Amino acid sequence: MVSTPASGTKHAEPMSGLQRLVRYSDVALAAGVVAIVTLMILPVPAHVLDLLITTNIALALTILLVSLYIQEPLQFSAFPTVLLLATLFRLALNVTSTRLILLQGNAGEVINAFGRFVVGGNYVVGIVVFVILVVIQFVVITNGAGRVAEVAARFTLDAMPGKQMAIDADLNAGLIGEEEARRRRQEIAREADFYGAMDGASKFVKGDAIAGIVIILINILGGIAIGALQRGMPLGEALRTYALLTVGDGLVTQIPALLISTATGIIVTRSASDANLGLDVARQIFSAPRALVIAGVLLAILGLAPGLPAPPFFLGAVGLLGVALMLRRPPPPATEPVRPTADTEETLPEVTPVDPLELEIGYGLIPLVDQATGGQLLRRITLLRKQIAQELGFVMPTVRIRDNLALRPNEYRILVRGIKAGEGEVYPDRLMAMTTTGEAPQLDGIVAREPAFGLPAVWIPEGQRAAAEAHGYAVVDAASVITTHLSEVVRQNAAALLRRQDVQRLLDTVRREHPAVVDELVPHLLSLSEVHQVLQLLLAEQVPIRDLVTILEVLGNHARTTRNVYVLAEQVRHALAAALTHQYVTPDGTLGVIVLHPELTGQLSEAIHQSEEGPQLALAPERLQALLAAVAQEMERIAALGYQPVLLVPASLRAALSRTLRRSLPNLTVLAFQEVAPTVRIQVLGTVRG
């Protein structure tokens, strides 16, 4: 927490070591690049060159070690630029050292040490060592790393569309959110940029190796010319003096170049892992002790061969066999014998959580989910999830599809939280033809019922589609039948499918655009569980929760006076009047409704009592049965007129009456007078007298 002293200033939190180090890194980088370019132009003293050469070696070692400890290449995504700057720095050192060698015949203690001590003062040996280092770097490491980077860049670009589609599929399936999808897309773009940059950066290393060869030749020839012609030195002495300095200069710059080339090869060949390279190599090489045993035996056999020195081969064999024995050695026994128990004798099975939504199919329906053979069910379910999200405002859970041999071949079953919520039978090689009227001619086929709404239907061959549609039938395939049934099951069980974690994700989404709405409400006025209950009450009656901002604002307005979730849900319904009535009005703006007789309204109002589970309608069984029969009769009558059944009642009666009727008449919508939008014209189509 930030404390505020009397003066009004704030004590800033102390910065970490990394923050202090990188605070002015941009300025340091700009100054470093300018200094490297300046180094190529202005002469520097020999002791300053010693310090710069030491810095170059330390930088190369640091880059190599960092490349060993990263777990995936993108953790060192700045490497292509670092490689360019390191190469530029080495070339600047070459220019500076060349100037000192040719002008003064001395390039500092570091170069002298490499020229005299490292190669024993023999410039021929030094040239040979230098050439070998260049060949190793240029022919082996750089060429291999460049080829790997080129292939990786090509494969990464080719795989980008597939990775993008996989992200979109996970997003549509609800497995990830928008933030995670955005992060993955950025990671794919960074990966493509990285490997593309590495493909080009490997050319820097090749050019550096070629420049090293050219520079050493120029230094030797230039040194001989200056020593023999300008300074009057004998030819042999001039060659020895300048060749040793040139070889020392070449070794000093080529060794860091070799280290960075090795780091380049490690990074481009590194695959993503959960550990650094050392742990991966140790785990993977030493995971097969038998291979070490075989290698040790082969070394021992080579040691017995005539003409070969036995000690080094036997020493290597003993080392490999010792490591293998250590890896295969069992753990030490416990101090006390372990008595077997129920847990040790038999591994207990893991308790797997219940899937929120499952679709079990018979083996005859497997082709519907096999996309390789043209199955459309998975794609239809993905589209259904989008539709549910747009209509109801919450993400439908992922549907787990599994085959069940206990079902008939063409049978399917829909489970909600492990409980059967619907079932049906479809024929993948046929089409379902349905008609809402009995006037259409009878079709030849398998007589059935549409599983979602119970409409009479016939399964007909594919060739009869045109004829059936010509006679007014609606024709759908098997995948559409299952998807429609699944849609109705989800709508009817939306309240049970909305979990508390889903509500938290919805609140997090709203908080990004409207933080004040969420922060005021949760947890200061209502808890997350209370908001969850309100949303469940709305979904239980097919009320969309898409306008979550309005819902939360209404809850914030009324939560100061009551925390009764049933009262709050009714207040939200009143605020969503326009959205509620829009679902049921005709194209001309008319809402056809059923109303209660005033006498019946009074009787039902007296029968309401409040409980912990919300308002309840306490009626005798025979009285309740008569009410259900009267409402069902009016529903059938207005449904025949082409209207969706809507019962319009006073607000004080709506919640209790809806809960009572919904159990037997799930297709009935109960609205309060306050929930009808002012612009809607009400047309009374029937009256329930009980």
Side-chain angles (χ1 to χ4, degrees), residues 278 280-290 292 320 323-324 327:
D280 279 348
V281 170
R283 286 189 302 198
Q284 295 169 19
I285 289 182
F286 296 132
S287 62
R290 182 175 299 178
L292 300 180
L320 289 175
V323 173
L327 294 175

Side-chain angles (χ1 to χ4, degrees), residues 170-491:
D170 288 348
L171 179 62
N172 295 335
L175 301 177
I176 59 175
E178 288 287 349
E179 281 295 327
E180 177 65 14
R182 189 177 300 111
R183 186 192 67 79
R184 290 189 185 182
R185 292 191 184 100
Q186 291 174 351
E187 186 173 345
I188 291 174
R190 289 178 57 219
E191 185 179 6
D193 293 341
F194 174 77
Y195 283 110
M198 285 300 299
D199 185 22
S202 62
K203 306 301 187 296
F204 299 149
V205 183
K206 289 184 180 180
D208 183 34
I210 296 173
I213 298 174
V214 174
I215 289 173
I216 194 172
L217 293 176
I218 292 175
N219 282 354
I220 292 176
L221 295 177
I224 293 173
I226 291 176
L229 299 180
Q230 294 185 2
R231 298 185 178 180
M233 299 172 61
L235 185 62
E237 182 181 353
L239 177 61
R240 182 171 59 256
T241 301
Y242 287 98
L244 280 177
L245 290 175
T246 302
V247 168
D249 179 28
L251 293 177
V252 161
T253 54
Q254 280 305 308
I255 289 175
L258 181 62
L259 294 178
I260 294 184
S261 298
T262 305
T264 305
I266 290 174
I267 288 179
V268 298
T269 57
R270 184 84 168 104
S271 58
S273 173
D274 59 352
N276 58 58
L277 182 59
L279 289 177
D280 279 348
V281 170
R283 286 189 302 198
Q284 295 169 19
I285 289 182
F286 296 132
S287 62
R290 182 175 299 178
L292 300 180
V293 172
I294 296 174
V297 172
L298 290 176
L299 279 182
I301 294 174
L302 289 174
L304 296 175
L308 293 179
F313 286 97
F314 284 156
L315 186 61
V318 170
L320 289 175
L321 293 175
V323 173
L325 181 62
M326 182 179 63
L327 294 175
R328 295 174 64 90
R329 181 178 300 169
T335 56
E336 295 182 0
V338 180
R339 294 184 175 88
T341 63
D343 290 344
T344 58
E345 291 177 354
E346 181 180 358
T347 303
L348 296 178
E350 294 184 359
V351 178
T352 57
V354 176
D355 292 310
L357 203 55
E358 297 177 75
L359 175 62
E360 295 182 343
I361 58 176
Y363 67 85
L365 302 183
I366 293 178
L368 292 179
V369 299
D370 187 0
Q371 294 181 320
T373 59
Q376 295 291 316
L377 186 56
L378 293 180
R379 189 180 66 85
R380 301 281 178 84
I381 292 177
T382 300
L383 296 176
L384 172 62
R385 300 184 79 245
K386 292 183 179 179
Q387 180 183 354
I388 292 294
Q390 293 173 355
E391 293 183 4
L392 294 183
F394 84 104
V395 178
M396 168 184 157
T398 303
V399 182
R400 183 177 296 277
I401 304 177
R402 56 167 57 96
D403 58 332
N404 187 346
L405 297 179
L407 299 177
R408 293 192 299 272
N410 294 329
E411 190 179 6
Y412 69 89
R413 183 184 299 160
I414 303 173
L415 306 179
V416 176
R417 308 269 172 215
I419 307 300
K420 184 180 72 173
E423 60 183 350
E425 189 171 11
V426 297
Y427 297 87
D429 57 341
R430 288 174 173 261
L431 301 173
M432 174 176 277
M434 299 169 291
T435 178
T436 56
T437 64
E439 301 175 356
Q442 186 66 35
L443 298 175
D444 293 333
I446 302 174
V447 179
R449 286 273 177 182
E450 195 277 331
F453 304 103
L455 299 175
V458 180
W459 288 98
I460 60 175
E462 176 72 32
Q464 295 185 19
R465 174 194 284 268
E469 291 177 344
H471 289 99
Y473 282 91
V475 182
V476 294
D477 58 10
S480 297
V481 174
I482 297 177
T483 306
T484 303
H485 195 183
L486 181 62
S487 171
E488 289 304 308
V489 169
V490 170
R491 295 174 194 279

Side-chain angles (χ1 to χ4, degrees), residues 590-629:
T590 301
L591 178 65
V593 300
I594 308 170
V595 297
L596 300 177
H597 190 275
E599 182 179 348
L600 178 59
T601 301
Q603 295 173 357
L604 295 179
S605 299
E606 295 175 357
I608 292 178
H609 75 279
Q610 301 294 330
S611 68
E612 294 181 355
E613 298 181 355
Q616 304 285 341
L617 192 60
L619 294 176
E622 61 276 4
R623 186 75 183 86
L624 177 60
Q625 191 63 36
L627 175 63
L628 291 173

